[in-house]
Amino acid sequence: MRRLDLDSLGSVEPALRPRVDPRSLGVGVVHLGIGAFHRAHQAVFTEDAVAAAGGDWGIAGVTQRSADVVEQLRPQGGLYSVLERGEAGTALRVVGSVRELLFAAREGERLRELLAAPSTRLVTLTVTEKGYRHDPASRRLRLADPEVAADLAGRAPGSVVGQLVRGLQARRAADAGPVTLLSCDNLPANGAVLAGLVADFCAALPSAEGEPLAEWITRSVRFPSSMVDRIVPATTPQDRTRAAELLGLDDRGVVVTEPFRQWVVEDDFAAGRPAWERAGAVLTADVAPYEAMKLRLLNGAHSTLAYLGALAGHEHVADAMRDPGLAEVASRLMAEDAVPTLAVPDGFDLRAYQQDLLDRFSNPALRHRTAQIAMDGSQKLPQRLLGTVADRLAAGARPRAACLGVAAWMRWVSAGRTDDGRPVHVDDPLAERLQQLTAGAQDPAAVVDALLGLEEVFGRELPADPVFRELVLDALTALSRGGVAEAVRELVG
Ligand code: CS2
């Protein structure tokens, strides 16, 4: 079958083609971390914004860890399809907003050149929580991280923050003007966090180099925050086959997603932006209420369903949702624990939002693996569950569902096996530490105490709270004794 590219695009049904002529689109955005999420989210919003209001906002997509996406998309002229799978059926569109691809490890020079180009006015990021190389509890850059330390010593940068700071240094030297750095990762106050990490990196440089750079950054660079939302599971061979049927072409870069998409962006840009509001995004002065709502309700419930579901032998989130006990845990976590901690914008219907989340999780057309969401828990727990727990404890409440989520993570990283005896692979930047800490732990109390000692995850206050320890220990004890079934029964009856 012929491959999708700029020449074969003419054979695709017109309604499925990009909404902007890719050949006419110049690059204005550099995106770090061009995985499936970016291609199904910001790249779609950007194409629709340009279709509605114009602008040279084509994207140069940078991969960090592997060259796979470059190899998939470069021969296709950056084109790929987005396959939307909902209850009502499947839809496909080809997206053309990605105009250039590079693999940072091999093309660092080109990355620096792009970051220093006056035509680049926006740098966006989806590098996942661990890509920031910070301590989630303190939100400071881990200066001792080997990648960060090597970047500080002056090699061609390998960490995201190193790449950004060296790029900004080149931009300042080239007098290329202001630019905006927009984080699109699932971290609270992601813009402020990124600004802080860039400042931490500058402060660790020799002062003659770091100080004037930091001063220029303060004047010339904006770091708005944003809340992103779209469920994007890993693409399966079945998705590729389905896309080929709809396209009549072979597309190696297909991404699969749900019909829903949402983007709330703090409207604070140094050098313009695409008219994303014309594509359905919300541009606002304060993203914080939306962020907290999304991280605590969607991601908090997602992670809880992922750990409990994976331990109980459910391969996908929709399978876990078919288990009435697990669906009830998700719904109580939201309604009883998270909702009371949220201050939502006026007129926002939180009840409908929670129901929509349960429906989205139950979408049987999406094969979203629980093991995929279970990854990197040490980087996800604070903003997804621990914030909720801390706020509820401070209010004198007992957030049992959220503590069950924390205990399920503890079980996942310490038990080595699922309830039915299948081996667990812990994929986490702290995997080795987690393993060492819990290796000698003989009983649930020892596991809880060992893991609560992880200050970079739990901070100092929570581990010292006796109610928190008690709730997590009760849940972990039930998980160890009678598996997910018993722990869920204890919570929901
Ligand atoms: C998921 C998210 O993998 C995960 O940890 O919880 O990627 C989730 O699907 C998105 O945040 C939805 O917007």
Side-chain angles (χ1 to χ4, degrees):
M1 191 181 257
R2 193 167 167 199
R3 186 115 178 235
L4 171 67
D5 61 22
L6 290 167
D7 295 325
S8 65
L9 189 59
S11 73
V12 172
E13 213 181 293
L16 310 187
R17 290 184 208 158
R19 300 178 188 179
V20 173
D21 175 7
R23 293 183 204 259
S24 71
L25 191 59
V27 167
V29 184
V30 173
H31 181 78
L32 303 187
I34 184 166
F37 184 74
H38 172 73
R39 283 180 280 152
H41 190 274
Q42 304 102 63
V44 174
F45 276 97
T46 298
E47 176 164 294
D48 290 352
V50 174
D56 264 335
W57 295 109
I59 299 164
V62 183
T63 63
Q64 297 287 345
R65 278 169 304 173
S66 103
D68 290 354
V69 178
V70 176
E71 280 152 20
Q72 288 157 0
L73 297 193
R74 204 180 258 163
Q76 300 186 175
L79 301 178
Y80 63 91
S81 29
V82 176
L83 191 67
E84 275 183 20
R85 289 188 183 275
E87 304 244 13
T90 304
L92 176 140
R93 65 184 275 192
V94 176
V95 172
S97 52
V98 176
R99 302 313 322 128
E100 182 174 339
L101 288 133
L102 47 148
F103 179 32
R106 283 195 215 128
E107 291 152 305
E109 221 7 79
R110 176 69 186 141
L111 172 57
R112 206 161 68 126
E113 188 181 296
L114 277 168
L115 292 172
S119 49
T120 300
R121 284 149 294 149
L122 181 57
V123 181
T124 53
L125 289 85
T126 50
V127 295
T128 80
E129 298 85 347
K130 67 173 173 247
Y132 291 81
R133 295 182 188 274
H134 73 316
D135 285 339
S138 71
R139 300 178 183 181
R140 304 309 297 263
L141 186 63
R142 286 201 310 265
L143 295 173
D145 178 289
E147 294 292 313
V148 174
D151 288 358
L152 281 166
R155 64 142 188 206
S159 73
V160 168
V161 173
Q163 288 163 354
L164 288 172
V165 174
R166 295 301 182 189
L168 291 173
Q169 199 165 24
R171 188 172 186 92
R172 173 172 178 251
D175 201 12
V179 65
T180 302
L181 268 48
L182 175 62
S183 167
C184 302
D185 282 294
N186 284 318
L187 295 167
N190 49 15
V193 167
L194 180 60
L197 301 178
V198 163
D200 285 347
F201 191 99
C202 290
L205 290 170
S207 59
E209 190 184 0
E211 277 172 21
L213 179 59
E215 198 259 330
W216 179 84
I217 290 173
T218 307
R219 268 189 293 115
S220 314
V221 184
R222 309 306 302 159
F223 297 87
S225 286
S226 79
M227 178 270 250
V228 293
D229 189 9
R230 194 167 208 190
I231 293 177
V232 186
T235 305
T236 65
Q238 290 84 338
D239 297 324
R240 283 194 199 94
T241 307
R242 186 77 184 105
E245 283 165 13
L246 294 166
L247 266 182
L249 296 169
D250 174 27
D251 175 3
R252 314 264 168 94
V254 182
V255 293
V256 62
T257 186
E258 60 180 341
F260 180 92
R261 59 178 153 109
Q262 188 179 31
W263 199 7
V264 184
V265 187
E266 184 185 354
D267 202 359
D268 179 19
F269 288 76
R273 58 164 175 82
W276 288 315
E277 68 279 14
R278 301 283 303 273
V282 173
L283 277 293
T284 174
D286 185 13
V287 177
Y290 295 96
E291 265 176 357
M293 178 182 87
K294 194 264 176 171
L295 291 167
R296 292 185 179 190
L297 294 176
L298 188 157
N299 296 112
H302 229 190
S303 286
T304 301
L305 282 169
Y307 295 116
L308 291 172
L311 286 167
H314 298 304
E315 194 180 350
H316 302 108
V317 177
D319 306 329
M321 285 297 290
R322 272 196 292 275
D323 177 332
L326 292 190
E328 181 62 21
V329 172
S331 140
R332 287 201 193 184
L333 164 67
M334 294 199 262
E336 292 174 11
D337 296 348
V339 163
T341 71
L342 301 173
V344 291
D346 281 349
F348 194 91
D349 186 348
L350 255 185
R351 229 178 244 279
Y353 183 78
Q354 291 167 80
Q355 188 54 50
D356 286 348
L357 291 181
L358 296 171
D359 294 344
R360 289 168 63 197
F361 293 161
S362 305
N363 178 352
L366 279 190
R367 319 284 289 163
H368 201 184
R369 296 184 60 242
T370 47
Q372 185 186 346
I373 301 164
M375 269 173 55
D376 299 342
S378 69
Q379 313 297 300
K380 294 174 173 174
L381 233 46
Q383 58 275 18
R384 295 182 176 208
L385 292 169
L386 302 180
T388 295
V389 168
D391 287 354
R392 291 306 281 150
L393 291 172
R398 293 168 67 82
R400 290 179 63 208
C403 288
L404 174 57
V406 176
W409 169 76
M410 291 184 169
R411 177 89 186 145
W412 178 255
V413 302
S414 65
R417 56 175 192 84
T418 60
D419 288 355
D420 60 3
R422 278 178 286 172
V424 161
H425 169 66
V426 178
D427 193 335
D428 191 294
L430 297 189
E432 225 170 280
R433 291 252 330 271
L434 297 170
Q435 157 74 38
Q436 284 161 359
L437 282 171
T438 55
Q442 299 292 337
D443 56 22
V447 171
V448 169
D449 291 332
L451 291 173
L452 290 186
L454 277 172
E455 195 180 319
E456 62 268 59
V457 177
F458 291 98
R460 286 207 186 138
E461 279 173 30
L462 263 186
D465 188 310
V467 179
F468 177 55
R469 184 175 180 280
E470 176 202 322
L471 294 179
V472 172
L473 179 55
D474 283 352
L476 187 63
T477 304
L479 285 168
S480 316
R481 201 173 44 214
V484 170
E486 178 167 336
V488 169
R489 212 168 29 242
E490 282 195 0
L491 184 81
V492 303

